[in-house]
Amino acid sequence: MELVIAIFIGLLFACGVYLILRRSIVKVILGIFVLSNATNLIIFLAGGIRSEQIPFIAEGEQTLDPALINDPVAQVLVLKAIVIGLGIAAYILALKYRYFQVTGTHDLDLLKNTDQR
Amino acid sequence: MSLFALLLLPFAYIILALLIKKASIKKRLAILFATANFLWALALIPLVQFKEMIVVQTGGWQAPYGITLVADKLSVFMLVMVAIIFLVTTIYATQAVDKERRKSGHYFFSFGILMGVNGSLIAGDVFNLYVWYEVMLMSSFILISLGGEKAQMEGSIKYLILNLISALFFVSGVGLLYGNLGSLNMADLSRIIANQPELLPQLNPALILMFVSFAIKGALVPFFFWLPASYHTPPPAVTALFAGLLTKVGIYSLIRFYTLFLYHDAPFWNQLILIMGSLSMIIGVFAASSQYDFRKILSFHIISQVGYAVIALGFYSVAGIAAAIFFLGHNMLSKTNAFLVAGWIKHHKGTLNLKTLGEVYKESTIWGVLFFISAFSLAGLPPLSGFVGKYLIIKAGIEANQLTVTLIALFVGLFTLFSMVKIWLEVFWKNKPRDKVVKAPLPPPKDHWMLTTSVVMAILIVAMGVWAQPIINFCEAAAFDLMNPDKYIEFVLGKS
Amino acid sequence: MQNIILEKIASLFLKAMIIVSFWLLLRGHDEPGGGFIAGIIASTGFILYAIVYGSVAVEKILRWNTRNWMGIGLGIIFIAIIIPIFMGYPPLTGVWMPTPSFLDGFIHIGTPILFDIGVYIAVIGIILSILITIMEVLKWNS
């Protein structure tokens, strides 16, 4: 299972990098989203996939066998990363909209005015 | 508690700014909270000298399990510098930022930056560091695009995409580190690596990812392209804030990581850091000397100056790290003040192109003197702070037997002087070109606060050069702590 | 969009989602749930409502500006952070009130639940502010 997810993460990274290298700004933004999901999966995988039990202490019990559960820390980290991703997605799409309004183009190659020449 | 207030003060301002509608109250509250933050950061100095380090375990969860906030001398030094820069730019922005931007949340997001910077300076946890980075980045994304002019949009797209990639690199590194070692607390990670050095080769991917992320954030060659493409687009007050805070946090994290993790493999990392630092110095300064825009020259100089701090770190001695810390502090002050002067010129002349400016010294002697102080502090002329900073770095380099890098640093200083003199001649001395007509600038706004803040910064720069010894002593104590990571580990995790 | 069935369903769905989100919010500390996910679920109800009735109707339900709701949520979080400081604990510690005997085992009142309520309100505020801004800018109001 971990191998499958690892290969999948690799594929996602490849897709993300491919999209980021495109000329259209929409594709670059999609590439950012794909990459951020790939990194979320990396953290998720870092916790290890051991069993199907959720890391909650059952009612009436005091302890929990750590061998039976998945690592809750990694899941918490993924949740935080997803929340941050939500904020960034909202901002980046708004920026894209405004950018298109101001310049009327999707082409990143026309974005040369602020660079050194 | 003592550290948590540094996060709670900006947080409280953010809450109040959401609830209060009136712009004038928000402005006064911003100055009030920035002052409170500054006073609080100052109050940490005696605390950290008396108790060595301050540790807060949030939620009462003990160190490797909970989120730990740690401040050692390096953090406190940076916190005080950040508080100074923030207070100054907040007061400066009351007159330098136009009303439209202030209404749509200039202070709101600059306090977001303050919260993120304070948080990343005191984070004792790798993932927590990432979260504060992200707070800082989100606020800076919005601040750089606030106003929505065409140039700003272009600049902010470049800034946004490259910085997001840096954040993604960092979080992948955190994931790999956690998967390998099963901990996120920096002190705990450092202890595990020190106890099991055989783990080091398999950590290299994670450490490289994090190093690249810091290098992007700190604008080191070859990862600097976002900086000169975006820093000259927002209003000058915003650029001053960014120049003072953002890249320096990247270098701070690099110092922290270097002294906790990377030093185990010092021969490799030293070489890498020295090469990247030297290239940053050279390329930054060469690119700066070919530019003809006030703020672009200063932006390229950020890259070159960051290179200085990084090579001092690469010497890996107490003197070297102390020099790096002192240089960071000096650079924050001088660079911010140079941008403050640029902001005034932009307001009064409507342009920052060197070819169309001229005779500013005749019109306003005081601003000329202010620019002179900050620019020649950057170039490293005595008795200003830059001289002390460069002297410390070069001394440390000779002591560490790195003559080539030291010579490069001296040589780059010459070119810094050249490009500063170029700005000085073109903007302040040269006769105004008659053939190039600039559209009439707006009626000059009131500028007494702009002048006051800039004067205060200039006095601080001179003071940092003249009374350098106590600051150097503090930096050396900080560097001494950093060179003994066991002390940090013991403070965070308790004796064991 | 004029469709009586859709309109009825949307307003019913909003109420159902708010009730479900309250349930998730209150069971959050010991079982799966919590402020963030409850806020997301409540805002799905608002999103359907906004698509059917337009964003102005949502603003009317909310009564105050979404910025104010974010501020209120963050303010509650702030209070939950600083309460333990006054009781001598490190910030963010979970401090529980002694529950009266007849409520024993049914509900605990403490700073974690306050924190979750703050997150709930702030998340609703943020998501609705994104939604309302998008609908106003793109002129999706029916």
Side-chain angles (χ1 to χ4, degrees), chain B residues 174-429:
Chain B
V174 172
L176 293 180
L177 208 58
Y178 182 70
N180 276 316
L181 299 180
S183 177
L184 287 169
N185 191 296
M186 287 194 214
D188 198 30
L189 287 172
S190 176
R191 192 181 61 178
I192 294 171
I193 298 175
N195 288 343
Q196 294 162 290
E198 73 274 7
L199 282 178
L200 213 55
Q202 81 191 52
L203 295 182
N204 274 343
L207 293 179
I208 287 275
L209 280 173
M210 287 170 152
F211 177 77
V212 169
S213 150
F214 296 146
I216 297 177
K217 202 74 217 72
L220 289 173
V221 168
F223 304 112
F224 66 91
F225 291 98
W226 59 272
L227 196 147
S230 63
Y231 263 29
H232 61 97
T233 53
V238 177
T239 318
L241 184 66
F242 281 19
L245 304 187
L246 298 186
T247 48
K248 311 305 179 285
V249 177
I251 301 304
Y252 162 83
S253 323
L254 189 58
I255 294 178
R256 177 68 72 210
F257 263 64
Y258 187 84
T259 52
L260 283 178
F261 310 127
L262 307 183
Y263 74 98
H264 291 288
D265 200 1
F268 168 68
W269 290 106
N270 276 357
Q271 211 64 32
L272 187 66
I273 285 177
L274 284 177
I275 291 172
M276 280 175 74
S278 314
L279 282 178
S280 304
M281 288 194 298
I282 298 170
I283 293 177
V285 88
F286 277 2
S289 2
S290 72
Q291 294 297 321
Y292 267 92
D293 183 293
F294 201 136
R295 277 195 283 174
K296 262 190 189 171
I297 296 179
L298 293 176
S299 305
F300 275 109
H301 268 290
I302 295 177
I303 297 161
S304 143
Q305 311 274 331
V306 156
Y308 273 98
V310 166
I311 57 158
L313 173 65
F315 296 149
Y316 194 51
S317 59
V318 173
I321 295 179
I325 299 169
F326 187 93
F327 196 84
L328 275 184
H330 133 73
N331 192 21
M332 285 162 94
L333 289 180
S334 310
K335 191 59 86 185
T336 308
N337 198 22
F339 274 112
L340 294 186
V341 178
W344 183 83
I345 291 174
K346 169 111 183 169
H347 262 254
H348 281 250
K349 303 285 162 207
T351 175
L352 280 173
N353 191 343
L354 295 191
K355 284 178 181 157
T356 52
L357 286 166
E359 287 182 344
V360 177
Y361 188 78
K362 212 191 256 174
E363 285 169 43
S364 168
T365 314
I366 176 97
W367 283 98
V369 173
L370 288 172
F371 178 75
F372 185 86
I373 290 174
S374 45
F376 289 89
S377 169
L378 283 175
L381 261 61
L384 305 165
S385 60
F387 170 71
V388 186
K390 283 194 179 168
Y391 167 72
L392 288 174
I393 287 174
I394 284 159
K395 188 161 150 259
I398 293 170
E399 281 168 3
N401 221 357
Q402 297 280 4
L403 287 180
T404 328
V405 180
T406 316
L407 279 176
I408 292 175
L410 279 170
F411 174 72
V412 166
L414 209 65
F415 270 88
T416 316
L417 189 60
F418 163 71
S419 52
M420 286 305 157
V421 169
K422 176 172 150 190
I423 299 182
W424 174 254
L425 288 178
E426 296 273 341
V427 176
F428 292 93
W429 266 8

Side-chain angles (χ1 to χ4, degrees), chain A residues 35-90:
Chain A
L35 279 184
S36 82
N37 284 330
T39 45
N40 290 352
L41 277 176
I42 283 191
I43 307 175
F44 179 67
L45 196 59
I49 298 168
R50 281 181 224 145
S51 77
E52 288 156 3
Q53 209 172 334
I54 50 166
F56 265 89
I57 300 176
E59 189 133 18
E61 305 230 348
Q62 291 296 317
T63 54
L64 194 60
D65 184 6
L68 286 181
I69 54 159
N70 284 323
D71 190 349
V73 178
Q75 298 176 4
V76 172
L77 303 185
V78 171
L79 179 64
K80 270 193 203 169
I82 290 173
V83 174
I84 293 171
L86 168 83
I88 286 179

